[in-house]
Amino acid sequence: MRFTLYCMTEIASPYISHPRIMVLGVQPGTPPFRIVEIDGIVVGEAKAVTDVLSTAAAFGITVHDLDDPDVVRWVGGDKFTWTRH
């Protein structure tokens, strides 16, 4: 009898979401900003939530719920985090 052992990282999990929009942590600047990725590509900077929405709209994405992790992933803070701690 032959057994095959699979590492968990090799098997795609149906529970991990991959949202189209990712907003990365706050970067130093005047004013501070966050980098926005869409489909894994850096597409711009956001200094406020409205910038995230505008960028998404420019790429044909309508965001109905900024708190939906299947739509937007906030890294290093949430939609209210726009300054470094």
Side-chain angles (χ1 to χ4, degrees), residues 4-25:
T4 304
L5 179 64
Y6 291 100
C7 178
M8 289 304 293
T9 59
E10 295 177 11
I11 301 173
S13 171
Y15 303 107
I16 298 174
S17 69
H18 296 284
R20 294 191 64 196
I21 304 166
M22 184 165 315
V23 183
L24 303 179

Side-chain angles (χ1 to χ4, degrees), residues 38-82:
I38 293 183
D39 297 330
I41 299 170
V42 174
V43 295
E45 298 175 359
K47 295 174 180 73
V49 173
T50 53
D51 296 336
V52 175
L53 294 171
S54 297
T55 301
F59 284 82
I61 303 169
T62 303
V63 178
H64 296 288
D65 183 0
L66 287 166
D67 294 320
D68 184 350
D70 291 329
V71 177
V72 181
R73 178 169 295 150
W74 299 92
V75 178
D78 59 15
K79 65 184 177 189
F80 300 113
T81 306
W82 295 97

